[in-house]
Amino acid sequence: LLYDNPNAPNPRRVRMFLVEKGVEIPTRTVDLRSGEHFSDDFRAVNPGCTVPALVLDDGTAIAESVAICQYLEAVYPDPPLMGEGAAGRALVTMWQRRMEHDGFFAVVEAFRNAAPGLRGRALPGGREVEQIPELAERGRRRYGWFLEDLDRRLQETSFVAGEDFSIADITALVTVDFARRAIKVEPPAGLGALDRWYREVSARPSAGA
Ligand SMILES: N[C@@H](CCC(=O)N[C@@H](CS)C(=O)NCC(=O)O)C(=O)O
């Protein structure tokens, strides 16, 4: 059972991964608006109070989007989305982490430190954390650098981690779409390689997930 939320970017990463694999699994929506993720029932699944979380038939609970994807990759190896061979797997991990650190986290930082609805909740999870406006500002700057770096990378390769679509593309696409929606930043028109890649990956059926 996958604990999911249709509007949140991290669960979208897992949903896209599942569509790429051609796998359907039962899901349950956790209502983040009403704070269902802070309920005792959900804390028993993931004490970190975040979605997504995957609970296996034997009760094992896996949180963290990439950990869930890693599990799914092992159970459903085709098509490979996390690289093949020693170097291939390492390179996908490298690019995935860059997309996450430099891109996704930058947008999260920009969004959570500025959104009026997230006052006192600048970090996900159950703790009271005040917003830092300078961090929101820095997040926006970092996101701009991320887009430039990504464009440079995509001038050399078809996809983020090389010539094959991978989890690195999923994280990058979710990042760009999240930025458009949450912090109202469009990818600059002048970044041609990024634009080519964004159209291509947005046209994949999984992008609708
Ligand atoms: N590192 C976690 C992050 C999960 C996360 O932050 N999820 C968000 C939704 S995208 C959440 O549950 N937020 C709850 C909150 O805002 O308190 C992952 O990769 O799955």
Side-chain angles (χ1 to χ4, degrees):
L1 178 66
L2 178 69
Y3 288 85
D4 190 13
N5 180 282
N7 304 312
N10 276 300
R12 183 177 179 222
R13 297 205 272 169
V14 173
R15 288 198 306 274
M16 282 189 68
F17 200 90
L18 284 165
V19 174
E20 291 285 342
K21 292 284 184 188
V23 172
E24 280 187 43
I25 60 173
T27 63
R28 183 179 299 168
T29 296
V30 178
D31 185 354
L32 300 177
R33 270 179 215 190
S34 70
E36 191 189 346
H37 51 312
F38 302 126
S39 67
D40 290 343
D41 280 356
F42 188 68
R43 276 178 204 271
V45 173
N46 178 14
C49 304
T50 57
V51 286
L54 178 69
V55 178
L56 309 182
D57 288 343
D58 70 357
T60 304
I62 307 171
E64 295 298 321
S65 308
V66 178
I68 295 170
C69 291
Q70 190 177 34
Y71 171 83
L72 295 170
E73 178 87 351
V75 177
Y76 309 103
D78 289 316
L81 296 173
M82 298 183 85
E84 287 183 289
R89 277 196 293 272
L91 287 172
V92 171
T93 298
M94 176 180 91
W95 283 104
Q96 197 294 129
R97 285 179 67 84
R98 285 180 178 168
M99 296 303 103
E100 202 169 55
H101 275 270
D102 302 345
F104 190 78
F105 292 161
V107 179
V108 168
E109 205 167 74
F111 174 56
R112 296 199 71 114
N113 284 287
L118 289 172
R119 284 205 188 106
R121 297 191 32 223
L123 290 174
R127 295 203 172 87
E128 163 112 16
V129 182
E130 286 314 315
Q131 293 176 328
I132 302 172
E134 291 83 0
L135 215 43
E137 198 46 46
R138 194 188 71 177
R140 285 175 169 271
R141 276 208 308 279
R142 279 177 69 199
Y143 180 58
W145 300 330
F146 164 78
L147 292 173
E148 288 169 13
D149 292 346
L150 182 55
D151 181 69
R152 212 167 296 124
R153 167 63 177 168
L154 290 168
Q155 287 170 21
E156 295 162 3
T157 53
S158 302
F159 294 103
V160 173
E163 291 314 305
D164 296 311
F165 182 89
S166 76
I167 188 174
D169 297 282
I170 293 179
T171 300
L173 179 69
V174 167
T175 298
V176 172
D177 284 340
F178 181 45
R180 296 181 63 193
R181 189 163 59 94
I183 61 169
K184 307 279 181 259
V185 177
E186 295 291 327
L191 302 181
L194 178 70
D195 186 58
R196 182 263 308 158
W197 165 89
Y198 183 66
R199 283 169 208 262
E200 267 173 35
V201 290
S202 296
R204 296 173 81 90
S206 62

